[in-house]
Amino acid sequence: MPLLEKNVYTTDYIYSLPEGQRAELIDGQVYNMAPPSRIHQKLVMEMSASIREYIRDNGGACEVYPAPFAVFLNADDKNYVEPDISVICDKSKLDDRGCNGAPDWIIEIASPTTSALDYGVKLFKYRTAGIREYWIVNPMKDSVMVYDLEYNTSTNQYNFNDIIPASIYKDLSIRVADLLM
């Protein structure tokens, strides 16, 4: 019995979606995106602002982009993601379409529909693409998983009340509970 052939999509499919419909593409497979919750949006807004403020206050060159922001992880047309927060330090990766290559730091806000993707497929994809740091913020569990992918030295789990250090910045820490007040 022959195996069923999977459809393999490209970024052309993503750009052909109707206005307002969002999806990501990982290894040619489409992952539709549901509208985000209020808490999701608050976390994206506050975390992006905190990181941007830190970079500005310290004269940094990195840029912060909240979703929707296109990230083309590989030099192909089969991988397109929209991380909730992307921090890019190499400005040569940026063009009018988004980021071509791996951002330095990605933060995803988990939801009931994205948890498996965030903790599994995306973790693997981000690690192999060369992301330096990856955070999964889970408002359903008040937890944050921090993956130091640059040095592979640690994976740490925090709760929203913890002061969470960023790996790519030695003196940046975020306490998620403070952002939700």
Side-chain angles (χ1 to χ4, degrees):
M1 175 183 240
L3 294 174
L4 292 177
E5 192 172 307
K6 270 196 210 179
N7 286 336
V8 176
Y9 295 90
T10 68
T11 52
D12 289 339
Y13 174 80
I14 297 296
Y15 282 101
S16 74
L17 293 172
E19 184 72 29
Q21 184 177 344
R22 293 176 49 216
E24 293 180 307
L25 185 66
I26 300 174
D27 295 328
Q29 298 304 301
V30 174
Y31 297 88
N32 291 310
M33 299 169 71
S37 68
R38 182 193 64 80
I39 191 73
H40 179 282
Q41 291 302 92
K42 183 169 179 79
L43 285 165
V44 169
M45 169 78 174
E46 297 298 334
M47 292 183 86
S48 294
S50 294
I51 297 165
R52 186 194 69 214
E53 184 178 315
Y54 169 85
I55 292 168
R56 283 185 179 170
D57 289 350
N58 289 281
C62 302
E63 295 188 16
V64 181
Y65 292 93
F69 180 74
V71 173
F72 304 90
L73 285 175
N74 303 95
D76 65 25
D77 63 352
K78 294 182 180 53
N79 290 282
Y80 167 98
V81 292
E82 293 183 3
D84 291 314
I85 302 171
S86 300
V87 178
I88 297 110
C89 300
D90 179 354
K91 291 185 183 175
S92 72
K93 293 180 179 180
L94 297 170
D95 65 21
D96 287 341
R97 292 188 337 147
C99 178
N100 297 290
D104 294 271
W105 183 10
I106 286 180
I107 299 173
E108 294 282 11
I109 312 300
S111 71
T113 60
T114 66
S115 288
L117 189 61
D118 293 334
Y119 288 99
V121 174
K122 283 187 175 180
L123 173 59
F124 174 78
K125 198 66 187 175
Y126 292 162
R127 181 185 307 271
T128 58
I131 305 298
R132 294 169 57 198
E133 183 167 357
Y134 177 41
W135 288 22
I136 303 171
V137 179
N138 190 329
M140 299 159 296
K141 296 182 178 182
D142 289 347
S143 70
V144 180
M145 291 296 298
V146 174
Y147 299 89
D148 177 354
L149 302 177
E150 183 172 24
Y151 299 107
N152 267 342
T153 56
S154 63
T155 299
N156 294 303
Q157 183 170 350
Y158 299 92
N159 69 52
F160 280 14
N161 287 309
D162 292 332
I163 297 171
I164 306 168
S167 297
I168 70 167
Y169 297 112
K170 297 301 176 211
D171 56 349
L172 170 63
S173 296
I174 297 173
R175 186 172 176 263
V176 178
D178 291 342
L179 304 176
L180 296 174
M181 300 176 116

